[in-house]
Amino acid sequence: VPLEVMKLTDISPAIALTPLDGRYHKATAPLVEYMSEPALNRERMRVEVEWMILLANGFEGNGNQPIVDGVKPFTAEEQAFLRAIPEDFGAEGIKQHAAHEAITHHDVKAVEYYIDDQIDKAPAELTNINDELKTLVHFACTSEDINNLSIARCVKNAMENVWTPEFKRIIDHLAGKAEEFKDMPLLSLTHGQPATPTTLGKELAVYVYRLNRQLKHIENQEYLGKINGATGTFGAHLAACPDVDWIAVSREFVTNRMGLEPADHADRKPRLAGRAVLHRLPRQPHHAQPVRGRVDVHLPRRVRPGAGQGCHWFLHHAAQGQPDSFRERRSQLRDQLLAARHPLRHAGGIPLAA
């Protein structure tokens, strides 16, 4: 008789599909604020709302006049109401958006309908927030206009607010250890063989230098974005408002409203959002892995107890028949080595390598 197999999909709460949301959830939890699906939908709402405000209120380049004919400028209170839509997007909002998506099977279209729902809740005194305003939601946009900007902002904010501060904390920890152990003698190796004297601090400083170089590349990374329509030609924009300088409007929106670098020449799907920075991230374990490797494998062989006393792996044998002072020195060295090893393996509480 075949055994009845328990279905993992029937278990509640739902089982994580990947270790990122399972065993590593504690480490990755801060990224939920920026990289989760609700975070992406919230960012999409921010893009949609800011686009509406720009179209209605204009910008310095056009004299702060409405860009689209027939649209009245929003008051400060009306702008605050619209900007509160994404900021108030919580558990109930997630359910409401999911209900729309279950019908539309389109996540961005569900965002549009969600904004329409919130417009219906506007107080009567906000006279410019009414049914007619719904035609301005997603005006002249294709879904990729919203997506590329939203994804770029999600990646940028996650890097600046989560990843980079933690990476700096690891570098600072290693720099502190490099200073602390700058005078600890160490036998350097070449081709796996003993070579010349160095210090533990110097060896750690090498990795501080390498990681700082990678950090510089990450911090100087550009995050590109575009809002130029379905084919990158402002086709719908020009059809609706042919006299508007849509390139200037696009640059204003991407640069000053979204905080990104404008990609003036891009088609419908530029896939620009953070691609370069995501390609750089896998390099960081490549630079950090040798730190752990050297601490775990090489240092026990290389740390010297004192001038002329031999390598650490020789200490046990050298201590035989030696005075108590030598044995004490060996014990002190072992304690120092362990103090250096364990914080380095999990610098700042973050594994340097899985």
Side-chain angles (χ1 to χ4, degrees):
V1 179
L3 296 175
E4 183 176 350
V5 179
M6 167 65 73
K7 290 185 177 180
L8 299 180
T9 52
D10 293 338
I11 295 177
S12 182
I15 295 176
L17 182 61
T18 74
L20 290 177
D21 295 311
R23 64 187 298 183
Y24 300 122
H25 175 71
K26 184 176 180 180
T28 61
L31 292 172
V32 171
E33 194 68 26
Y34 307 99
M35 304 296 286
S36 63
E37 187 174 21
L40 175 59
N41 285 325
R42 180 175 62 186
E43 208 59 56
R44 285 166 170 156
M45 294 174 196
R46 287 174 177 152
V47 174
E48 296 276 12
V49 165
E50 291 301 328
W51 182 240
M52 293 168 61
I53 292 174
L54 175 61
L55 294 177
N57 289 63
F59 63 108
E60 186 176 351
N62 81 328
N64 299 109
Q65 298 299 313
I67 295 172
V68 177
D69 293 337
V71 177
K72 296 180 181 179
F74 296 125
T75 65
E77 292 77 14
E78 290 167 342
Q79 291 182 50
F81 174 85
L82 291 173
R83 288 181 171 132
I85 293 175
E87 306 313 317
D88 293 340
F89 184 64
E92 289 303 315
I94 292 172
K95 293 179 181 178
Q96 190 174 349
H97 174 272
H100 283 305
E101 189 172 353
I103 298 172
T104 63
H105 301 289
H106 196 298
D107 46 7
V108 177
K109 181 58 68 175
V111 166
E112 296 177 45
Y113 288 158
Y114 179 86
I115 294 175
D116 289 348
D117 291 343
Q118 306 313 305
I119 289 175
D120 290 337
K121 300 176 183 178
E125 59 268 21
L126 303 182
T127 56
N128 290 329
I129 310 259
N130 49 45
D131 280 345
E132 294 181 0
L133 181 63
K134 294 178 181 179
T135 60
L136 198 63
V137 179
H138 204 71
F139 177 84
C141 291
T142 188
S143 296
E144 187 59 25
D145 285 331
I146 308 304
N147 280 335
N148 89 94
L149 295 170
S150 302
I151 294 171
R153 284 170 55 86
C154 284
V155 174
K156 182 175 184 284
N157 290 331
M159 291 299 299
E160 292 179 351
N161 296 311
V162 180
W163 191 92
T164 299
E166 292 298 330
F167 193 57
K168 286 181 176 179
R169 193 152 63 92
I170 291 175
I171 295 175
D172 290 342
H173 182 85
L174 289 175
K177 290 301 177 182
E179 176 66 23
E180 180 180 349
F181 298 113
K182 65 182 180 181
D183 296 323
M184 178 179 285
L186 191 70
L187 181 62
S188 62
L189 304 177
T190 180
H191 299 80
Q193 301 298 317
T196 57
T198 183
T199 68
L200 176 57
K202 179 266 176 184
E203 296 300 314
L204 294 177
V206 170
Y207 295 105
V208 172
Y209 169 75
R210 291 177 181 175
L211 294 176
N212 269 319
R213 280 181 54 83
Q214 295 303 309
L215 177 62
K216 181 179 179 181
H217 290 307
I218 293 292
E219 291 184 320
N220 292 336
Q221 177 63 51
E222 289 184 331
Y223 296 86
L224 303 178
K226 69 96 183 179
I227 184 165
N228 55 12
T231 60
T233 60
F234 298 100
H237 307 68
L238 292 169
C241 305
D243 297 328
V244 173
D245 185 352
W246 285 109
I247 294 179
V249 173
S250 171
R251 288 174 178 170
E252 164 67 21
F253 186 70
V254 173
T255 304
N256 297 327
R257 309 302 171 98
M258 296 290 98
L260 305 172
E261 293 294 325
D264 291 334
H265 299 84
D267 57 13
R268 176 175 174 268
K269 291 190 175 183
R271 300 304 182 194
L272 301 167
R275 172 181 288 183
V277 72
L278 294 177
H279 276 249
R280 286 193 179 277
L281 290 184
R283 301 179 188 178
Q284 312 319 315
H286 170 75
H287 289 277
Q289 175 67 27
V291 181
R292 178 175 179 177
R294 291 204 173 197
V295 168
D296 284 348
V297 179
H298 296 291
L299 294 188
R301 298 176 56 198
R302 298 162 62 189
V303 176
R304 299 174 62 86
Q309 296 293 352
C311 296
H312 182 74
W313 61 269
F314 186 65
L315 289 180
H316 175 75
H317 302 284
Q320 304 305 313
Q322 297 295 326
D324 290 342
S325 60
F326 184 88
R327 293 176 181 274
E328 292 176 2
R329 177 58 180 151
R330 182 187 71 168
S331 177
Q332 292 172 2
L333 176 63
R334 182 182 294 112
D335 291 342
Q336 289 176 332
L337 181 59
L338 290 174
R341 289 177 65 186
H342 293 297
L344 292 175
R345 292 183 64 183
H346 301 284
I350 303 173
L352 295 182

